[in-house]
Structures are given as C-alpha cells and as structure tokens.
Amino acid sequence: MSDCLFCKIVAGEIPARITYEDELLLAFHDIAPKADTHLLVIPKQHIENLNDLSADDAELMSHLMLKLPVIARQQQLNGFRTIANTGKDSGQEVFHMHFHILGGEQLPGF
Ligand code: AMP
Ligand code: ZN
C-alpha cells in the first residue's frame, strides 16, 4: 500500500531500527517506546489488522507467533507483553497489522 507507513518501512523508504528480518516478517524499535524495550513485529505483506485475516494467512500467522519469543529473546527479554491493537476503538493508529513487544523492565499491571 503506497500510503502506508509500515509498508514504507518494509520498502526501506522510511528508516527504522530493524532488529529482525526474514522473508515474511520485520521487527523494529517503536519510535515512541512505552517500555525500556518496545518493538513492533509486522508482516511484510500489508494486512490491516486481525480483522483482515483469512484462512489463507494461517501459515504466516503461525510463523509470526512462533517468532515473537525469538525476537524478544534477541533483546534479552525474559518476560514480555504482546499487544495487537485491532481497529480504531482499540487505539490502533497505524493500519498495518503489528504486534507490540514490551519488556526490559517490570511492567505495570494490565
Ligand atoms: P498502534 O497504536 O497499535 O497502531 O501503534 C502504532 C505504533 O507505531 C505506536 O506505538 C507508534 O509509536 C509507532 N510508530 C509510529 N511511527 C513509527 C515509525 N516511523 N517507526 C517506528 N514506530 C512508529
Ligand atoms: Zn502496509
């Protein structure tokens, strides 16, 4: 999607502090961290959010979920919180699906 911020990061048109990349995924530091370590994990493919998924995405989503702890461990996170805001009412601001990984400190109760 040409006007999507995260598609531009995938395309290398906007810089990001990338920590992990493979053929399907990208992980990078959030520009406004809400914890000591705050990463975003995104599919390279443009998918708006969880509501946009179909059965065709099963392999991608299983890959993504299995990589979350790998990506967290690369940042020496023992425990971490994962958040995926879905839709405007949830507070989603960037409509390219992303999983927040928060950690590196004792997080407040949720
Ligand atoms: P959400 O509210 O779940 O849509 O989260 C969007 C996240 O993207 C926020 O935590 C922002 O701080 C983050 N963000 C916005 N622009 C950038 C950017 N250029 N690079 C990295 N993170 C960004
Ligand atoms: Zn996108």
Side-chain angles (χ1 to χ4, degrees):
M1 254 210 184
S2 57
D3 61 345
C4 170
L5 178 65
F6 288 174
C7 280
K8 286 181 180 162
I9 288 178
V10 170
E13 292 166 16
I14 289 179
R17 292 170 57 211
I18 293 169
T19 69
Y20 177 85
E21 179 168 14
D22 65 26
E23 69 282 6
L24 297 174
L25 307 178
L26 201 61
F28 52 91
H29 286 274
D30 195 292
I31 205 165
K34 299 184 183 63
D36 272 1
T37 301
H38 185 172
L39 303 178
L40 300 173
V41 182
I42 68 169
K44 288 185 168 176
Q45 176 191 343
H46 183 86
I47 296 173
E48 269 200 8
N49 59 37
L50 292 172
N51 282 331
D52 200 19
L53 291 171
S54 74
D56 291 345
D57 301 310
E59 203 173 318
L60 167 67
M61 291 309 290
S62 122
H63 181 71
L64 191 154
M65 291 307 286
L66 291 169
K67 284 297 176 192
L68 292 176
V70 174
I71 290 164
R73 273 199 298 275
Q74 285 180 339
Q75 304 298 310
Q76 284 78 47
L77 300 182
N78 296 316
F80 61 94
R81 180 172 294 162
T82 309
I83 297 173
N85 291 323
T86 301
K88 199 164 71 63
D89 289 354
S90 75
Q92 185 176 7
E93 289 177 350
V94 179
F95 283 79
H96 181 129
M97 185 172 69
H98 50 282
F99 287 73
H100 297 258
I101 290 180
L102 298 149
E105 62 180 73
Q106 181 65 51
L107 297 174
F110 183 72

